[in-house]
Amino acid sequence: MLLVTGGAGFIGSNFVLSTIAETGEAVLNLDKLTYAGNLRNLAALEGDERHVFVQGDICDRDLVRRLLAEHRPRAIVHFAAESHVDRSIEGPAEFVQTNVVGSFSLLEEARAHWIQLPPAEQAAFRFLHVSTDEVYGSLGAQDPAFTERTPCAPNSPYAASKAASDHLVRAYHHTYGLPTLTTNCSNNYGPYQFPEKLIPLVLHNALAGKRLPVYGDGGNVRDWLYVLDHCAAVRLVLDKGRPGETYNIGGGSERTNIEVVQRICGLLDKVHPPGRGSYADLIEFVKDRPGHDRRYAIDSAKIRSELGWRPRESFESGLEKTVRWVLDNRAWTEEVTSGAYRRWVEQNYALRGAV
């Protein structure tokens, strides 16, 4: 059994679903069910004994201790995190609490559990921490992509909180010998992504006939990774990665934000034509967010050469799958875009205004 934290969120639920489907291994799923956690993501596992869901907070050390003792998982896969930059700008305290204090709490309980395991189980145990490329800071147009040796230079409260948790994970390996692994991924997209992030926000707004807000000049560059390719990479690192190591996971698909938005509009024009004109007519440039990193790019050479991982999806094929999933699951999007979500979006973009 695996203990997966944050397994009702976007990446976590895709990991839980694909892991059970592809490996058959049981999953103990611990999720606080904040605004971004959604049990409907896991509806396909209802009644499946291989999936055990527990609603709870990773900061609740008594709960984590009890779950580890009762279920004795072979590994912890730690997805649970506050992850949206804009929200971290408006309210950084929650990011420090979950990403830093929560990760520390989980590490402490994992260490206490690991120490008392029999030698064979102790040798096999792993703590895999899922992190982000944002800890590395921002790149210039001609700079080489981030490698595992790139120094941390976080530029947002979110990135700083994730960098702090990365450092804690590293320290627990080097100080205590806890067999940790860290992965730093590029921007994910795909099914079940909460529509505050660029791709699902644009899809949701376009289908509702609302404006498509693009920060600044739209020239910010991200490397895009299809979520199921990320999940496959995490499983590979968990099973074959070297304890104490970090592995960067990227899709090798750098695109500017405006290119991504235009691509989405072009796909929607073909598969779900608007009443008139093009969805691209809804694009509106808005004031940039504070400290907006200009470019991220991931060098995945290490995981490719050491573990043989390759993404299955190109950006074009992954985006087409994502668009079709959203069109086929409009009810899911309508449910998660509640009044609280609408109020947050209106507040966030009202601060930006049109430019």
Side-chain angles (χ1 to χ4, degrees), residues 252-319:
S253 299
E254 289 186 58
R255 300 289 190 280
T256 64
N257 286 349
I258 190 61
E259 286 176 323
V260 172
V261 174
Q262 290 170 339
R263 179 69 179 175
I264 293 170
C265 291
L267 284 171
L268 284 176
D269 285 344
K270 292 179 181 178
V271 301
H272 192 79
R276 59 181 180 180
S278 166
Y279 288 102
D281 298 334
L282 298 171
I283 294 173
E284 185 171 2
F285 293 94
V286 301
K287 184 180 178 181
D288 210 350
R289 72 185 179 203
H292 195 179
D293 291 336
R294 190 63 175 175
R295 174 177 169 247
Y296 303 144
I298 281 281
D299 183 341
S300 300
K302 181 176 178 179
I303 190 174
R304 289 171 181 257
S305 62
E306 286 192 14
L307 306 184
W309 175 81
R310 297 287 188 280
R312 296 177 182 175
E313 302 293 341
S314 66
F315 179 69
E316 288 71 25
S317 66
L319 187 61

Side-chain angles (χ1 to χ4, degrees), residues 174-226:
H174 285 273
T175 301
Y176 303 114
L178 185 69
T180 64
L181 298 154
T182 297
T183 58
N184 293 84
C185 68
S186 57
N187 279 34
N188 278 219
Y189 66 100
Y192 303 113
Q193 188 169 25
F194 192 74
E196 63 186 358
K197 301 296 180 75
L198 178 65
I199 288 176
L201 174 67
V202 168
L203 282 166
H204 173 65
N205 280 17
L207 292 171
K210 299 178 180 179
R211 64 177 182 156
L212 311 181
V214 178
Y215 284 150
D217 62 0
N220 298 77
V221 176
R222 299 293 181 264
D223 175 28
W224 293 94
L225 174 66
Y226 189 61

Side-chain angles (χ1 to χ4, degrees), residues 212-241:
L212 311 181
V214 178
Y215 284 150
D217 62 0
N220 298 77
V221 176
R222 299 293 181 264
D223 175 28
W224 293 94
L225 174 66
Y226 189 61
V227 65
L228 292 177
D229 283 332
H230 181 202
C231 293
V234 169
R235 280 190 292 273
L236 189 60
V237 171
L238 181 64
D239 291 340
K240 296 184 178 180

